[in-house]
Amino acid sequence: MVREGKVFPLGVNFEANGVWPGNFFRRNPIHVMTVDGGDSATLAAALQGWDRAGPTDQMLGEYYRSLTRFADDMIVMPLQAATQWDALSHVWYEDLLYNGFPASAVTSLGATKNSIDRVDVKGIVSRAVLLDVARHRGRDHVEPNEGIEPAELDAICSRQQVEVGAGDIVLIRTGWWSRFAELGDGTAWRAGCPGLSWKAAEWLYRREVAAVAADNVAVEAGRRDVDGVQLPLHLLCLRDMGMMFGEIWNLESLAADCALDGIYEMQLVAPPLRVTGAVGSPINPIAMK
Ligand code: UVW
């Protein structure tokens, strides 16, 4: 897949100004410095005469009396805060997960089945195909909440002269990620996300697609046309087929390059973090052409 050595990062930043509000079950990342540049000025002196200094404080003091300076930090965030993979334990219905495992396997200690660390240790590396729906429509982005139907996926493959086959990862560009910067409001951005229609499930199944990722919040469209079912494509793909979803990806620079050279297939390297028992993972996926 890699012919010219061109590299495209597909992840968005993990930061406080992300797509989530402060009152949702998901929040933006909280990034905290645990050791910072100012510490060298203040702690070096303070620790010297501090009679309650324990071994860690003493070690810091030794650093600051030497030439060496360093910084450390930590992050508190939902694993779904920004660019992510959904594990196969992320959604289910009728008390069953993918492969017939009981929903009770997802416990407060983590998922004991289908967790993200059960993805092959080699990670997720495959041929990927970008389907640029926005460009196909000649628009900056697909209309808010609109569902993308299988016939359009066929038309895009034919126009882009690319085939989707077994084991591929399909990247769906709706153009919606760019709207986040324009809207400046994650709630409006999330509420309007266009994406795949639930009818795309059969299209993906027939081609034996391994995973799907998109530049929106849920891969599927905000408007759900199945009565009484939220996230129908999630249920069909993740729960019924074992097909992982990648969400909140930035496909802009990759799509611009594909439009220039007409090559819509690439190598994708997107290993999840091996968080034991987690139902998803943050990632920084890389595409190479
Ligand atoms: C839910 O919102 C439940 O899932 P996702 O983040 O995969 O869209």
Side-chain angles (χ1 to χ4, degrees):
M1 290 294 103
V2 183
R3 298 175 181 99
E4 294 188 50
K6 293 190 275 191
V7 177
F8 305 91
L10 309 182
V12 310
N13 279 15
F14 288 81
E15 59 183 356
N17 296 315
V19 303
W20 304 104
N23 59 354
F24 198 60
F25 62 85
R26 287 184 195 156
R27 311 282 167 101
N28 290 319
I30 300 170
H31 176 222
V32 180
M33 298 304 297
T34 48
V35 181
D36 68 26
D39 287 344
S40 59
T42 52
L43 286 181
L47 289 176
Q48 220 156 5
W50 193 26
D51 55 4
R52 293 178 65 183
T56 306
D57 313 299
Q58 283 168 15
M59 193 203 79
L60 272 176
E62 278 164 28
Y63 265 103
Y64 294 137
R65 283 188 289 280
S66 85
L67 277 178
T68 310
R69 297 290 179 265
F70 74 100
D72 263 25
D73 48 3
M74 60 182 265
I75 192 162
V76 181
M77 66 173 202
L79 299 182
Q80 293 75 18
T83 308
Q84 78 205 253
W85 280 124
D86 285 348
L88 299 181
S89 46
H90 179 54
V91 294
W92 63 88
Y93 62 92
E94 293 177 350
D95 288 333
L96 288 179
L97 309 177
Y98 173 67
N99 255 351
F101 295 120
S104 57
V106 185
T107 74
S108 60
L109 294 180
T112 58
K113 300 288 181 190
N114 297 351
S115 55
I116 200 75
D117 56 303
R118 299 302 175 110
V119 170
D120 192 283
V121 73
K122 293 191 296 298
I124 295 179
V125 179
S126 193
R127 175 182 187 253
V129 173
L130 175 77
L131 300 182
D132 193 340
V133 187
R135 201 171 300 268
H136 175 70
R137 292 187 180 196
R139 303 219 184 117
D140 288 343
H141 58 79
V142 176
E143 290 302 302
N145 289 313
E146 198 173 317
I148 300 155
E149 305 274 331
E152 189 169 13
L153 300 179
D154 281 331
I156 295 169
C157 286
S158 137
R159 183 175 178 158
Q160 293 183 180
Q161 298 187 323
V162 71
E163 282 183 16
V164 171
D168 285 350
I169 297 173
V170 173
L171 307 177
I172 301 289
R173 177 177 174 260
T174 66
W176 200 247
W177 174 249
S178 301
R179 287 285 286 156
F180 177 56
E182 288 164 34
L183 291 166
D185 172 0
T187 303
W189 181 81
R190 285 182 293 106
C193 278
L196 289 179
S197 155
W198 66 272
K199 293 174 197 153
E202 191 173 345
W203 191 94
L204 297 164
Y205 175 78
R206 288 196 186 288
R207 285 157 187 78
E208 297 182 58
V209 166
V212 191
D215 58 353
N216 61 11
V217 76
V219 175
E220 61 189 289
R223 187 168 52 233
R224 316 262 153 71
D225 45 2
V226 183
D227 281 347
V229 182
Q230 292 292 322
L231 301 175
L233 190 68
H234 272 63
L235 300 184
L236 291 166
C237 290
L238 284 141
R239 192 276 206 181
D240 291 350
M241 294 193 238
M243 187 183 295
M244 284 170 58
F245 275 4
E247 295 162 344
I248 319 182
W249 292 31
N250 180 354
L251 303 174
E252 294 307 296
S253 63
L254 176 65
D257 187 80
C258 293
L260 277 179
D261 69 8
I263 297 174
Y264 285 86
E265 62 175 8
M266 67 273 326
Q267 182 81 32
L268 181 78
V269 181
L273 299 181
R274 306 195 61 75
V275 185
T276 305
V279 302
S281 165
I283 38 166
N284 185 28
I286 301 290
M288 287 175 281
K289 289 173 75 180

